[in-house]
Amino acid sequence: MNWGYISAFWTTVVMNCVQPVNWQACLPVQDWLFPAIGDYIRFKTEEPYASEKRALRAISRVDAR
């Protein structure tokens, strides 16, 4: 993992969620953290636009029939 990502996460999320005014938005961690982790894993394991390419291939197969 790149330190830039950790630093950006720390300054953007952690430091803003420490402030009591933001607790209501930060508290449901399951709503924003778990999807973000899944997005990060997908970002690191798939090539760019992989899901779009799969969708276009599926459409091409359907049109070819």
Side-chain angles (χ1 to χ4, degrees):
M1 180 176 275
N2 188 342
W3 283 106
Y5 293 121
I6 296 170
S7 174
F9 180 82
W10 181 265
T11 57
T12 306
V13 177
V14 176
M15 294 308 292
N16 285 320
C17 286
V18 169
Q19 300 173 10
V21 71
N22 296 329
W23 286 355
Q24 186 176 4
C26 294
L27 190 58
V29 175
Q30 70 277 4
D31 293 343
W32 61 267
L33 182 60
F34 299 138
I37 292 171
D39 290 344
Y40 179 76
I41 291 169
R42 191 175 313 112
F43 171 74
K44 292 304 253 183
T45 58
E46 290 186 1
E47 65 180 38
Y49 302 106
S51 62
E52 290 84 354
K53 290 177 185 177
R54 285 192 301 269
L56 290 173
R57 285 187 200 123
I59 291 170
S60 296
R61 280 188 230 129
V62 170
D63 289 342
R65 291 181 185 179

